[in-house]
C-alpha cells in the first residue's frame, strides 16, 4: 500500500459549521473512552464550549482533513507564550481513515506547534491504559515525565495518567526521520 502524500492532508481552523460532526465524534463511545470528560455532551453544552474557545487566545482547535474530508480534531490548550509551552490532545473521529492517519495528524500538528506557534515544550496527558497513543507519542520523541497514580475516576476505578512532553530541539532532530515515516517521498 502506498504511503500517503503530504499534500493529501491539512489542518484547518475549527469552524461553527463543524460543530455537528465534532459533537457526533466526541459523543461516540470510542472517543469518550479516552477522555477525562466522558458524559454525553448536549448541543447546547457543545455550543457554549465553542463560544468559549473562539474567544480564548490560549486555545487552538484544528480539523484534520484528508483530501478535504474531515477525519478528526487536534488542539493546543493552555498556551503559555511567556514560557513557550502548551498542552495538546487529538483524536481521529472518523473510523474509516487511511492507514497512518494518526501519525500524519501528529506530524502536521507538531510542525504547526513548533514552527508556526513557536512553542518550546509540548505536553500531554494520556490514560495509562491507552497504550496505542502512548506508543505513537514515543515514536515521535515524546518522553514520559511522570505518572499521576490513580488520578481520574473512569470505568469504575481510579486510572493512572501518564504525563509526556516533547521539546522543540528534539522535534528539529527527529523531523526528517518522522516525515519519511509519515509520507512517501514522491
Amino acid at each position: 500500500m502506498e504511503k500517503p502524500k503530504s499534500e493529501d492532508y491539512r489542518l484547518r481552523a475549527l469552524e461553527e459549521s463543524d460543530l455537528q460532526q465534532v459533537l457526533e465524534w466526541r459523543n461516540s463511545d470510542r472517543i469518550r473512552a479516552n477522555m477525562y470528560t466522558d458524559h454525553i455532551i448536549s448541543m447546547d453544552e457543545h455550543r457554549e464550549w465553542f463560544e468559549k474557545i473562539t474567544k480564548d487566545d490560549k486555545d487552538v482547535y484544528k480539523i484534520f482533513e484528508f483530501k478535504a474530508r474531515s477525519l478528526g480534531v487536534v488542539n493546543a490548550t493552555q498556551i503559555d507564550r511567556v514560557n513557550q509551552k502548551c498542552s495538546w490532545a487529538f483524536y481521529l473521529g472518523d473510523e474509516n481513515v487511511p492507514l497512518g492517519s494518526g501519525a500524519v495528524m501528529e506530524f502536521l500538528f507538531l510542525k504547526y506547534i513548533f514552527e508556526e506557534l513557536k512553542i518550546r515544550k509540548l505536553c500531554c496527558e494520556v490514560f495509562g491504559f491507552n497504550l496505542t497513543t502512548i506508543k505513537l507519542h514515543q515514536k515521535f520523541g515524546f518522553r514520559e515525565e511522570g505518572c499521576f497514580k490513580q488520578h481520574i475516576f473512569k470505568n469504575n476505578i481510579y486510572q493512572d495518567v501518564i504525563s509526556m512532553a516533547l521539546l522543540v530541539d528534539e522535534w528539529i532532530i527527529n523531523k526528517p526521520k518522522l516525515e519519511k515515516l509519515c509520507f512517501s517521498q514522491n
Side-chain angles (χ1 to χ4, degrees):
M1 183 172 191
E2 184 179 324
K3 282 187 181 177
K5 294 177 177 59
S6 61
E7 61 268 16
D8 292 338
Y9 293 92
R10 78 175 182 138
L11 296 174
R12 65 165 176 81
L14 173 70
E15 300 170 353
E16 190 168 0
S17 60
D18 297 311
L19 287 183
Q20 183 61 46
Q21 177 66 72
V22 170
L23 182 62
E24 288 173 20
W25 289 338
R26 185 61 179 77
N27 279 337
S28 73
D29 291 340
R30 184 175 59 83
I31 300 302
R32 287 185 308 112
N34 293 298
M35 298 296 222
Y36 285 171
T37 305
D38 59 5
H39 68 277
I40 297 292
I41 299 167
S42 70
M43 182 52 90
D44 287 342
E45 183 181 356
H46 194 53
R47 284 191 188 287
E48 282 180 33
W49 164 81
F50 181 72
E51 291 300 318
K52 179 183 169 281
I53 65 161
T54 54
K55 294 174 184 162
D56 190 348
D57 67 349
K58 293 184 180 184
D59 294 337
V60 173
Y61 283 78
K62 301 278 187 181
I63 295 291
F64 173 64
E65 292 183 332
F66 173 72
K67 295 184 177 179
R69 186 177 124 225
S70 298
L71 300 183
V73 176
V74 62
N75 67 66
T77 59
Q78 303 167 341
I79 298 171
D80 176 344
R81 300 199 191 283
V82 173
N83 295 298
Q84 298 175 307
K85 66 183 181 81
C86 67
S87 294
W88 83 298
F90 75 101
Y91 58 85
L92 287 169
D94 196 320
E95 291 185 75
N96 183 22
V97 299
L99 189 63
S101 291
V104 171
M105 180 165 47
E106 185 150 342
F107 179 85
L108 291 179
F109 199 66
L110 295 180
K111 185 176 177 182
Y112 168 76
I113 285 292
F114 292 124
E115 297 176 18
E116 290 185 45
L117 285 187
K118 306 295 186 196
I119 295 296
R120 181 189 56 81
K121 182 177 183 179
L122 183 61
C123 306
C124 65
E125 295 179 358
V126 183
F127 280 113
F129 61 74
N130 191 347
L131 298 178
T132 302
T133 298
I134 291 169
K135 287 178 184 174
L136 178 63
H137 290 339
Q138 288 171 335
K139 186 185 292 188
F140 277 82
F142 280 82
R143 296 173 201 249
E144 183 176 327
E145 291 197 328
C147 177
F148 303 113
K149 300 300 272 179
Q150 300 180 18
H151 195 60
I152 299 290
F153 191 72
K154 189 170 194 69
N155 303 325
N156 295 314
I157 62 170
Y158 285 96
Q159 301 285 346
D160 293 348
V161 173
I162 307 300
S163 171
M164 303 181 81
L166 178 65
L167 298 171
V168 67
D169 298 343
E170 297 162 331
W171 162 252
I172 291 167
I173 292 167
N174 290 322
K175 181 184 172 187
K177 174 186 73 167
L178 295 168
E179 192 164 24
K180 284 181 186 174
L181 178 76
C182 290
F183 303 112
S184 60
Q185 300 299 304
N186 299 349

